Amino acid sequence: MTSGLTIGQLAKAAGVNVQTLRYYERRRLLQPTDRRPSGYRLYANDALQRLRFIKNAQALGFTLKEIVELLDLEVRSTARCGEVQRRAEAKLAHVKVKVRDLQALARALGGLIRACRAGRPTAECAILKSLKERKGQSGLP
C-alpha cells in the first residue's frame, strides 16, 4: 500500500494531537495499515471515520475500554443492536447518577457560599471551617 494518511494528516483531519493517535494505537483502538519506507505510519481512509466514532463515543461519556467493546460489537457478525442498546442504557444510568451527585454538590457549595460572610477574616470563614470539619462528606453545611 503506497497511499493513505500519515499520522500527522490523520491527526489534523480529526482535530486531535499526534500523541493522541499514538496513545490510541497503544490501546489498540487504531492501527496503521502500512508504513512508508521512511517508517512513517500510513492509515487507511476509514481511520478518520473510526477516530470520529471514538471521539463521539467519548463525548457521550464512554470510556476507552467501553469504546473498544463497542467497536468489537460493530465488527462481530453475531452481535445485535440490543447489546449496544444495553450498554447505552447502562451509560445513561451512570450519567443520571453523576448528575444527581453534581446537583448535590452544587447545593452544598451554594449553602457554603450563602453561609459566607465575605468581610470577615479567614479565621472565621464558614467555607474554610466547613472544609476542615466535613471529613469527605457531601451535603449542606
Side-chain angles (χ1 to χ4, degrees):
M1 175 177 175
T2 56
S3 66
L5 299 170
T6 65
I7 193 168
Q9 292 168 331
L10 181 58
K12 185 176 181 180
V16 299
N17 190 297
V18 169
Q19 294 304 320
T20 300
L21 297 185
R22 290 186 181 131
Y23 178 70
Y24 289 168
E25 282 184 29
R26 288 192 301 276
R27 296 288 306 263
R28 302 201 183 276
L29 286 161
L30 185 68
Q31 293 301 316
T33 52
D34 203 1
R35 287 191 183 260
R36 287 188 177 161
S38 62
Y40 282 94
R41 296 167 174 89
L42 291 174
Y43 297 87
N45 292 331
D46 65 348
L48 181 57
Q49 183 179 5
R50 188 173 181 96
L51 270 174
R52 287 186 179 135
F53 181 101
I54 294 166
K55 299 311 286 177
N56 290 334
Q58 284 180 314
L60 289 172
F62 288 97
T63 65
L64 290 180
K65 181 181 182 285
E66 291 167 331
I67 293 169
V68 167
E69 293 168 355
L70 289 172
L71 288 166
D72 287 345
L73 286 174
E74 184 182 31
V75 297
R76 245 183 31 219
S77 63
T78 59
R80 296 289 175 250
C81 189
E83 294 178 58
V84 177
Q85 181 182 6
R86 281 187 290 281
R87 291 167 194 261
E89 288 169 346
K91 181 54 66 181
L92 178 59
H94 179 73
V95 167
K96 286 180 177 182
V97 168
K98 286 174 90 172
V99 167
R100 281 194 302 271
D101 291 346
L102 287 171
Q103 288 171 335
L105 178 61
R107 286 190 300 275
L109 283 170
L112 289 172
I113 290 166
R114 284 189 299 279
C116 184
R117 303 292 181 256
R120 301 233 180 221
T122 56
E124 300 173 23
C125 178
I127 296 172
L128 295 176
K129 284 181 182 180
S130 177
L131 292 174
K132 288 179 188 175
E133 297 167 2
R134 286 191 164 303
K135 298 177 187 153
Q137 300 169 0
S138 63
L140 296 174

